[in-house]
Amino acid sequence: MRLRTFAAAAVCALAATTVMADKRAADTSPAEDLKTYRDYFQKRFPGVPLNEFGNGVYAIDNVSRDSWNAVEEFPPYEPMIEAGQAIWDARFANGKRLGSCFGGDPAQRGNFPYWDAKRKMVVTLPLAINECLESNGEPPLPYRKGRIADLLAFMSYRSRGQKINVEIPDDPDAIAAYNAGKSFYFARRGQLNFSCAHCHFESAGMNVRTDVLSPALGHTSGWPVYRSKWGELGTLHRRFAGCNRRVRAKPFAAQGTEYRNLEYFLSHVSNGIEYNGPSARK
Amino acid sequence: MRATTKIATTAFSLAALFAGTSMLTGVAGAASDESVAMGKQVAVDRTKGNCLACHMMGDGASPGDIGPPLIAMKARFPDRAKLRAQIWDAQVANPGTRMPPFGKHQALSEAEIDAIVDYLYTL
């Protein structure tokens, strides 16, 4: 009984804040948002160069930075890069390889996510990988961890140094997708009623118990991530789901519309920061 | 669904009534040790209040710092109803708050919130 009333209350709260956030979302342009994010975080953490924000919490938390640096010297994700290369090199049943969908070049990070005007949707790298597999008669890979994370580790490794450079074309549908991602970011969610922004914008640098909260700026750069807590690699959308669960909200599907739009928004505000995945995190 | 909400509302007004009574008795005597102990346990429990995620609170280990330290509560919140309301739905006092609405979203029961208030008054 308690659960049911709670669900009703949560839906009402969500509806109300979504409307608010929608209003806010349409109020400012993508270019203005990019400037707001950069200015806010650079003022908040003076002296931290823009590119450093690609290192998540370690950009701002000197206490954990040293042990992280030590971990990155012998990175736990190294074997996964090799496993990913093997997947990249393997032949499909039809004789072709993954590279046939990507001009033969695994360094694709900087080309995603992008707006596909024909299909009216945001296309992310993991989505493009699975579409490639399926169009070649191969089974798609589950999106949260495992083989796709290995493959992304290899492709991201080869893409290191490319910059996040997401374009939001002047197309009402693209802007609507961007605004949907932005509304998602600012919408309160779950029994605990937090938005992403409450933790990673307003409270960046503060402590939730012993966790220091990372800034939203640069949040999409370091993926996939090897987390000691997971004991394995995970994808960006796996993390989105984890953060939704944290506030006792039901997560959305990895690579569903909600998370792809969220990635579109979150990547754009981080434009100019280098892709540096894969990386290690606590 | 409608019936459920009604029960919940009734439960709430009952709880409010009880809160009222304990406010009265609170003047005469301190809250029971039992209630203070339960309040502390619920406030600290990560699956319940988890107040330490954001607040320094008593002797609680590794508190966060998103909210203000919960100290001198009696002096700062002489009005019990106001303190209770802050926990029940912090958005009433501050629409942009980061503090979860523990009562409104039923993350805590009315009795648990009363016990937390009893505990906070010992800080």
Side-chain angles (χ1 to χ4, degrees):
Chain A
M1 175 176 60
R2 260 180 74 188
L3 263 181
R4 263 208 277 161
T5 6
F6 152 59
V11 169
C12 294
L14 192 64
T17 44
T18 311
V19 172
M20 260 168 52
D22 269 342
K23 211 165 157 203
R24 194 171 359 177
D27 278 353
T28 53
S29 71
E32 286 166 329
D33 297 340
L34 172 62
K35 187 171 169 355
T36 304
Y37 265 67
R38 265 197 209 170
D39 290 355
Y40 171 82
F41 285 110
Q42 293 201 306
K43 209 179 260 169
R44 179 121 179 199
F45 303 106
V48 176
L50 179 64
N51 207 42
E52 264 298 309
F53 285 96
N55 292 326
V57 75
Y58 308 111
I60 57 162
D61 181 13
N62 291 327
V63 178
S64 59
R65 194 182 166 88
D66 284 349
S67 52
W68 171 71
N69 273 330
V71 168
E72 287 279 0
E73 297 223 349
F74 301 97
Y77 48 74
E78 224 162 48
M80 291 80 169
I81 297 177
E82 278 170 39
Q85 175 150 27
I87 301 172
W88 175 264
D89 288 338
R91 283 193 192 279
F92 301 146
N94 67 9
K96 289 204 251 173
R97 305 175 213 246
L98 260 171
S100 62
C101 301
F102 297 100
D105 185 1
Q108 291 296 327
R109 212 57 199 83
N111 298 330
F112 293 87
Y114 71 88
W115 177 251
D116 183 330
K118 266 204 206 111
R119 293 196 286 165
K120 295 188 189 302
M121 63 186 278
V122 173
V123 178
T124 61
L125 181 54
L127 190 80
I129 289 172
N130 267 350
E131 288 182 342
C132 176
L133 290 172
E134 289 189 275
S135 67
N136 281 286
E138 299 287 320
L141 301 171
Y143 280 122
R144 291 155 41 84
K145 55 185 175 181
R147 286 164 61 80
I148 203 149
D150 292 347
L151 183 59
L152 288 166
F154 168 67
M155 294 178 81
S156 299
Y157 187 67
R158 289 294 183 89
S159 312
R160 278 189 178 179
Q162 292 179 354
K163 284 185 176 162
I164 304 178
N165 182 25
V166 173
E167 244 183 85
I168 315 293
D170 191 12
D171 165 342
D173 292 320
I175 292 170
Y178 171 88
N179 282 338
K182 182 162 138 193
S183 300
F184 191 107
Y185 204 76
F186 285 97
R188 287 184 187 273
R189 231 169 264 285
Q191 192 182 39
L192 298 187
N193 214 32
F194 286 107
S195 68
C196 314
H198 280 123
C199 283
H200 295 293
F201 194 82
E202 281 180 53
S203 312
M206 294 181 180
N207 278 68
V208 183
R209 294 255 182 169
T210 51
D211 284 328
V212 180
L213 289 164
S214 56
L217 191 65
H219 250 175
T220 60
S221 61
W223 297 89
V225 155
Y226 183 98
R227 267 186 96 191
S228 340
K229 194 185 148 201
W230 291 336
E232 60 182 8
L233 278 181
T235 59
L236 178 63
H237 290 200
R238 178 180 183 184
R239 180 47 120 150
F240 287 170
C243 280
N244 274 161
R245 257 194 223 101
R246 228 191 145 94
V247 297
R248 302 180 192 160
K250 196 168 168 285
F252 292 83
Q255 299 303 328
T257 313
E258 292 86 0
Y259 285 172
R260 275 184 292 107
N261 289 343
L262 176 62
E263 180 177 340
Y264 194 44
F265 162 72
L266 205 52
S267 301
H268 179 264
V269 292
S270 298
N271 269 357
I273 296 174
E274 281 175 19
Y275 282 108
N276 57 354
S279 25
R281 295 284 186 270
K282 193 169 77 154
Chain B
M1 180 66 94
R2 199 175 291 154
T4 339
T5 334
K6 203 163 159 199
I7 294 169
T9 337
T10 326
F12 170 59
S13 24
L14 276 181
L17 243 171
F18 281 132
T21 349
S22 67
M23 199 168 88
L24 288 182
T25 51
V27 179
S32 74
D33 291 351
E34 200 184 322
S35 178
V36 169
M38 168 179 160
K40 180 174 182 178
Q41 192 245 317
V42 172
V44 170
D45 189 332
R46 279 168 202 261
T47 66
K48 295 280 193 175
N50 197 14
C51 315
L52 284 170
C54 299
H55 294 282
M56 197 192 96
M57 186 176 69
D59 57 3
S62 48
D65 60 3
I66 291 170
L70 301 179
I71 45 173
M73 298 310 285
K74 239 181 198 150
R76 297 194 303 121
F77 285 86
D79 180 356
R80 182 179 174 109
K82 201 173 155 203
L83 178 54
R84 194 178 192 285
Q86 172 70 25
I87 304 169
W88 203 83
D89 182 8
Q91 255 184 284
V92 173
N94 172 12
T97 189
R98 282 162 283 178
M99 178 159 157
F102 291 99
K104 189 174 170 208
H105 277 195
Q106 305 193 3
L108 296 173
S109 73
E110 302 299 335
E112 286 168 337
I113 293 176
D114 286 330
I116 290 180
V117 173
D118 286 341
Y119 165 60
L120 291 185
Y121 272 149
T122 67
L123 299 177

